[in-house]
Amino acid sequence: MDDVSIGDVKGAFSPAKEIRNPEMFAGRRKEMEDGVMALLNEGGFIVVHGLRGVGKTSIARQIKNIAEGDDTLPKMMGIKRIMPEGGFRYKVQYISCDVFVRDTVDLIERILFPDEENESLFSLTKTGNRKVEEIKEIFEGKGNLNLPGVGGLSGGKTTEKISSEETSDNLIQNFREVLNLLKKDLHSKYDGVLILIDEFDTIKDKSGFSSIVKTCSSDFVKFGVVGIANNIGELIGDHQSIGRQIDEIKVPTMPKYQLMKILGKAEYVVENQISFTNEAKEEIAKMSEGFPYFTHLMGEEAMVSAFKNKQKQIDVDSVSAVSEKISEGKLKTNYEGLYHDSVKQSAQREMLLKMFAEEDRNEIHTKEVYEQAKEMGISNPSQLMKELTMGEKGSGVLKKVRPRYYRFTDPVFKVYSRKRDWKFDNSGTS
């Protein structure tokens, strides 16, 4: 164990961020096969969707790696036979949306211009600088279109931002011109340009996006989106027009055997100086309930504890100790803070939260929950629901999906709420 450092142990797991290194990626063979086939489909539109916390971004990152020519994962998974000879040669623009990407215009700004991860698409073309000036002229006086690294396009005169309807045709036409320039200048070096858009569900106004995909996709330009949704229609409202182009990668929760592979990868990273018994792996996988986040969280905590205590093997008792820390709220995780914020100083709110968390269904009808709540002495559960759905900042832990049906905004938190022991006893005290 002297050859293994605490850095190695911590690096064996990734509960807080996506997996970028293909050697650390475990499971999801079918999804990666679908990703490779989607890259082979000229003009196709990749859609990666599923619940929060199932590993969509990690899958998208591996698609990016493969598209850029890294065949490590296909070799490891035994799917290299479906890869083109010599691999792929895409230029990938990987975009992560945030609160600043409010609509299609904002999205195109993010795609075209540089950030901490991407080059400007203009920098890849021989006539890039001239095209920037042309776009400035097109939008001159039509609104405040601020492009990173370029400055406002209205000459400092800030007016109301151009509406999607007003700019749609012009925007698509000029975006397409930029993509045509890329094909002209890059076709000898790359197979194509792949524009992957993560956190797509956070964009409030997606109007016009499907038109852009339909108009701008070609044998050289491919689009892909990644987001939280049960189905494509939920993620992309106006998807019908591009239905035949869609290459869907639906990401379900992970089966136990794949979650156990995550622990096997971790053992490999620490050169098997610390290992899990099969029973311990099965217990962690079972407790993870299909979400790799919990496998990484519990696996890391168990392995760090083993390292500190100079133990070479992690057994079921070690896993139980980690489980107890989660139950008591003693394991450092952002979900513990969210749990406290959700229940505040209200024992009744905690009771109602746990009643919803115990429901197996994704979309939960209030009838049975409210009846149970009233039996437990909660006189007005619908009033408490306002606090669970709105929260202090307007985004609660529960979301109304249709009349009398709710679901957790983050299903990982739903699982955490089940595992977490009561903050209040029956008397309503902490």
Side-chain angles (χ1 to χ4, degrees):
M1 194 180 292
D2 293 339
D3 295 334
V4 177
S5 69
I6 187 64
D8 295 327
V9 172
K10 295 285 287 184
F13 295 95
S14 185
K17 59 183 180 179
E18 74 274 8
I19 306 296
R20 298 195 182 196
N21 181 354
E23 294 186 355
M24 290 297 296
F25 190 82
R28 300 300 192 192
R29 187 178 190 272
K30 178 185 182 302
E31 289 78 8
M32 294 315 306
E33 277 189 344
D34 291 344
V36 171
M37 296 304 293
L39 290 174
L40 290 167
N41 184 13
E42 290 185 358
F45 173 42
I46 303 171
V47 180
V48 182
H49 68 93
L51 296 174
R52 186 189 299 274
V54 293
K56 299 180 300 298
T57 296
S58 294
I59 289 171
R61 285 288 179 181
Q62 298 311 313
I63 291 174
K64 176 182 184 290
N65 289 342
I66 293 169
E68 291 176 331
D70 187 342
D71 63 356
T72 303
L73 190 60
K75 284 180 178 177
M76 289 170 54
M77 288 188 163
I79 60 174
K80 198 171 186 300
R81 69 188 187 282
I82 64 173
M83 294 273 288
E85 187 175 349
F88 293 104
R89 297 182 308 155
Y90 277 94
K91 174 62 183 175
V92 182
Q93 199 82 344
Y94 194 101
I95 308 300
S96 295
C97 297
D98 51 35
V99 295
F100 299 106
V101 182
R102 297 155 297 185
D103 54 29
T104 304
V105 174
D106 290 339
L107 178 60
I108 290 181
E109 292 179 32
R110 186 65 64 90
I111 293 170
L112 284 174
F113 289 89
D115 56 23
E116 62 277 2
E117 183 168 348
N118 300 289
E119 300 174 82
S120 163
L121 287 185
F122 294 110
S123 70
L124 302 174
T125 72
K126 297 175 182 177
T127 55
N129 291 334
R130 189 170 74 244
K131 191 61 187 174
V132 170
E133 295 304 316
E134 288 177 13
I135 288 184
K136 283 184 181 181
E137 291 176 9
I138 289 166
F139 289 101
E140 186 73 29
K142 287 191 176 182
N144 182 29
L145 185 63
N146 290 315
L147 301 178
V150 178
L153 297 189
S154 56
K157 297 178 182 179
T158 302
T159 59
E160 185 180 350
K161 188 164 184 169
I162 328 158
S163 69
S164 296
E165 184 176 353
E166 184 182 347
T167 61
S168 178
D169 292 342
N170 207 5
L171 188 62
I172 293 173
Q173 179 185 345
N174 287 280
F175 185 44
R176 189 176 184 180
E177 284 184 23
V178 173
L179 297 176
N180 286 336
L181 283 174
L182 290 173
K183 179 177 181 179
K184 179 182 176 182
D185 293 342
L186 301 180
H187 74 278
S188 62
K189 185 177 180 182
Y190 294 102
D191 295 331
V193 174
L194 171 61
I195 299 170
L196 267 177
I197 305 162
D198 201 356
E199 306 286 350
F200 183 76
D201 54 286
T202 64
I203 303 175
K204 291 184 178 180
D205 181 4
K206 303 180 182 71
S207 58
F209 178 75
S210 291
S211 296
I212 288 173
V213 171
K214 186 175 182 179
T215 306
C216 297
S217 296
S218 67
D219 59 349
F220 194 76
V221 177
K222 182 185 293 293
F223 289 85
V225 298
V226 185
I228 299 165
N230 288 310
N231 53 65
I232 293 173
E234 189 176 299
L235 186 62
I236 309 164
D238 57 343
H239 69 289
Q240 297 296 334
S241 64
I242 52 173
R244 286 179 295 178
Q245 291 178 247
I246 293 175
D247 290 308
E248 180 183 10
I249 303 174
K250 186 173 183 178
V251 186
T253 53
M254 290 186 80
K256 280 177 59 177
Y257 77 94
Q258 290 189 9
L259 293 168
M260 291 172 69
K261 285 184 178 181
I262 293 173
L263 301 171
K265 288 276 185 178
E267 292 173 328
Y268 172 78
V269 171
V270 298
E271 299 176 349
N272 290 303
Q273 295 297 304
I274 303 174
S275 62
F276 296 84
T277 65
N278 285 334
E279 293 78 11
K281 287 181 180 178
E282 287 182 0
E283 185 64 17
I284 290 176
K286 178 183 175 183
M287 293 188 66
S288 297
E289 299 188 41
F291 292 97
Y293 168 81
F294 283 106
T295 303
H296 283 277
L297 181 72
M298 297 183 70
E300 180 182 70
E301 182 66 21
M303 191 172 277
V304 167
S305 178
F307 177 83
K308 289 179 178 178
N309 295 314
K310 297 183 179 180
Q311 296 173 343
K312 292 188 175 183
Q313 194 170 66
I314 299 165
D315 57 18
V316 173
D317 289 339
S318 301
V319 175
S320 296
V322 175
S323 177
E324 187 174 342
K325 288 183 73 173
I326 293 176
S327 175
E328 294 174 353
K330 294 180 179 179
L331 190 59
K332 188 177 180 181
T333 166
N334 62 308
Y335 288 112
E336 177 60 21
L338 183 57
Y339 188 86
H340 280 280
D341 289 343
S342 300
V343 304
K344 291 295 183 184
Q345 300 304 313
S346 171
Q348 290 196 344
R349 201 191 306 183
E350 182 179 32
M351 289 171 64
L352 190 62
L353 173 67
K354 281 188 166 290
M355 288 174 193
F356 272 96
E358 290 297 332
E359 291 288 329
D360 291 331
R361 293 163 295 179
N362 181 34
E363 295 186 357
I364 306 162
H365 196 280
T366 58
K367 184 177 183 294
E368 293 181 4
V369 176
Y370 282 5
E371 287 176 354
Q372 182 185 2
K374 289 175 180 177
E375 289 175 2
M376 297 290 290
I378 300 176
S379 58
N380 194 354
S382 61
Q383 182 62 37
L384 291 174
M385 278 298 289
K386 293 180 181 178
E387 297 168 328
L388 291 175
T389 54
M390 293 299 293
E392 283 190 343
K393 299 179 181 178
S395 56
V397 295
L398 290 170
K399 177 182 179 181
K400 188 174 184 178
V401 290
R402 60 182 187 275
R404 303 199 70 181
Y405 279 90
Y406 292 81
R407 72 173 176 219
F408 278 80
T409 53
D410 186 344
V412 178
F413 178 66
K414 179 182 181 181
V415 176
Y416 185 85
S417 297
R418 284 203 294 266
K419 298 182 185 305
R420 179 63 162 85
D421 202 358
W422 293 88
K423 178 181 176 182
F424 299 98
D425 60 27
N426 291 332
S427 65
T429 58
S430 297

